[in-house]
Amino acid sequence: MGPTHPETIELPRLRAKIERWARELGFQSLGISSGQLTQAESHLLEWLDRGYHGTMTYMSRHGSARTRPHELLPGTVRIISVRMDYRPEDVVDSLAGLEDLRNGYVARYAVGRDYHRLMRRRLQRLADHITDAIGPFLYRAFTDSAPVMEKPLASHAGLGWIGKHTNLINKNAGSFFFIGELYTDLPLPVDGPVTDHCGECSRCITACPTGAIVGPYQLDARRCISYLTIELKGSIPIELRASIGNRIFGCDDCQLVCPWNRFSQPTEEIGFALHPQFAAPPLVSLLAWDEDQFLRNTAGTALRRITHEQWLRNVAVAIGNGPRDQAAVEVLTDRLTHPSPMVREHVVWALAQLQKVTRPVDQQ
């Protein structure tokens, strides 16, 4: 695709059309920024220097291309950021999912179809609409799929502000939404950032089960349950296992307690609907899944970001944090012969944890 000739395009009028097409494609809002990320770059370098990224070495790759869009896609002068809501149920229902420790909790962004594919397809269709209107232009679509500073870009485009938990918050929609981008050479009119509305609130900081939010706007990913259950490929640190509770893939706690999410609305996107299989799955049944079952049951979902071994690791920890009953002991015992040393390690830990439970077996 070659560059366009902006002098022949009525840019404000084109922008209005792009906003309309975005709404028709299921995006709740759209904003445009110039891609200047000087402050975000400094913050990233400081974050990396502190080692808060843990084993996510990809965060330090690509040099400055992550924070300088024109280096990632030469010719880029604007970033079109879009928002798509995904919350599948009321916040109260999500909180209830954390209460019964016999069942696993899956972060609500992962209980439906994989957002990466859905968002990229919609962004491609948005680009197709633009092409149909003005001819070929330079663009590239992203959704959590490349070295892109999505949250700072969306913040600069006016889609929200980055809260103390480091997630993006929209004053009218909370934080349960995905964001995606079109890098482009079209010099479209830009939006401005919105102001921070966290105020004195610190609920997200105090609610974090593992203390990963080490200060306002500071996240130590090494302690974050999303990192521990998804990004981390090896053993979960022993000192953090008990705090994970029944969370087997990601964590929503900092969002669930955020006052702004009282304004969030259940998604209208069918693809993000809560799959019954992951609404409140019994942990003992999940640990019994062999690899074929895992691959079959998680096909087309974001749960495929982890391996079967990670899955068993996470579920074993969750069972160890739950009530001691015969079914839990038996399913863990069956996994003591698993070929993976990592799985066996966490199974042994879980069995030891259940032995500490003072309630008699089968008498809850």
Side-chain angles (χ1 to χ4, degrees):
M1 294 176 292
T4 55
H5 299 284
E7 64 274 10
T8 66
I9 303 171
E10 295 182 37
L11 294 171
R13 190 173 181 180
L14 175 60
R15 185 212 157 106
K17 291 181 178 179
I18 293 173
E19 290 182 331
R20 174 169 57 82
W21 295 327
R23 289 193 299 271
E24 292 171 352
L25 288 168
F27 296 116
Q28 276 68 51
S29 62
L30 176 148
I32 300 175
S33 68
S34 63
Q36 298 298 316
L37 297 173
T38 304
Q39 185 175 358
E41 182 176 274
S42 297
H43 181 77
L44 174 62
L45 293 175
E46 181 181 354
W47 186 74
L48 292 170
D49 187 58
R50 292 181 177 181
Y52 285 169
H53 59 303
T55 61
M56 296 184 292
T57 55
Y58 60 83
M59 291 298 299
S60 59
R61 297 178 197 149
H62 310 289
S64 56
R66 184 178 294 276
T67 53
R68 302 177 187 182
H70 64 278
E71 293 185 11
L72 183 61
L73 180 65
T76 297
V77 297
R78 293 290 185 270
I79 312 297
I80 301 173
S81 293
V82 294
R83 179 192 112 224
M84 184 178 285
D85 298 343
Y86 71 78
R87 184 168 68 77
E89 61 185 0
D90 289 336
V91 169
V92 173
D93 293 329
S94 294
L95 286 167
L98 292 166
E99 294 178 356
D100 190 342
L101 296 180
R102 291 183 178 86
N103 299 327
Y105 183 87
V106 175
R108 275 11 194 181
Y109 78 83
V111 297
R113 289 170 54 193
D114 188 344
Y115 67 95
H116 297 88
R117 299 178 185 177
L118 189 150
M119 289 280 286
R120 277 200 299 269
R121 282 197 293 266
R122 300 287 176 86
L123 283 166
Q124 180 59 54
R125 289 170 61 184
L126 180 60
D128 291 341
H129 280 306
I130 300 173
T131 300
D132 290 342
I134 67 171
F137 71 104
L138 179 71
Y139 74 89
R140 186 175 172 186
F142 301 101
T143 301
D144 192 21
S145 56
V148 174
M149 298 289 282
E150 293 192 307
K151 289 182 286 188
L153 287 170
S155 176
H156 288 194
L159 296 191
W161 73 93
I162 297 176
K164 292 180 181 178
H165 48 25
T166 73
N167 293 309
L168 195 71
I169 304 174
N170 182 284
K171 193 173 183 179
N172 300 314
S175 61
F176 286 99
F177 54 82
F178 300 121
I179 48 180
E181 303 79 34
L182 279 179
Y183 280 29
T184 178
D185 65 341
L186 297 173
L188 296 160
V190 299
D191 297 286
V194 297
T195 55
D196 186 315
H197 293 281
C198 285
E200 298 299 318
C201 180
S202 59
R203 293 185 190 181
C204 60
I205 298 175
T206 56
C208 181
T210 54
I213 308 174
V214 295
Y217 315 102
Q218 299 180 59
L219 179 73
D220 184 346
R222 297 170 299 181
R223 301 185 64 86
C224 178
I225 292 176
S226 289
Y227 169 83
L228 295 170
T229 58
I230 302 172
E231 299 290 346
L232 184 64
K233 309 305 179 187
S235 297
I236 296 173
I238 293 177
E239 66 273 16
L240 297 176
R241 294 177 190 176
S243 299
I244 290 175
N246 62 342
R247 301 165 187 82
I248 57 175
F249 187 93
C251 179
D252 290 327
D253 288 42
C254 62
Q255 298 189 84
L256 292 173
V257 300
C258 177
W260 289 106
N261 273 317
R262 68 182 182 272
F263 298 114
S264 64
Q265 298 295 321
T267 182
E268 297 180 358
E269 180 56 54
I270 296 175
F272 298 149
L274 180 61
H275 194 293
Q277 183 169 240
F278 301 117
L283 290 166
V284 292
S285 66
L286 301 183
L287 195 66
W289 285 2
D290 60 27
E291 187 166 15
D292 286 341
Q293 286 176 295
F294 170 75
L295 294 175
R296 184 169 60 253
N297 293 336
T298 60
T301 74
L303 290 161
R304 279 292 188 87
R305 291 181 62 187
I306 64 173
T307 65
H308 182 236
E309 286 183 50
Q310 289 173 279
W311 175 258
L312 296 179
R313 174 199 66 186
N314 297 347
V315 176
V317 168
I319 293 177
N321 289 327
R324 182 182 175 217
D325 59 35
Q326 194 59 39
V329 173
E330 288 179 357
V331 74
L332 286 167
T333 302
D334 287 343
R335 286 299 188 184
L336 284 172
T337 57
H338 193 277
S340 166
M342 180 179 71
V343 172
R344 295 197 303 270
E345 173 197 343
H346 291 77
V347 167
V348 169
W349 178 87
L351 284 168
Q353 290 296 108
L354 294 184
Q355 291 302 318
K356 298 177 183 178
V357 178
T358 58
R359 294 185 300 279
V361 174
D362 293 331
Q363 294 182 25
Q364 309 303 327

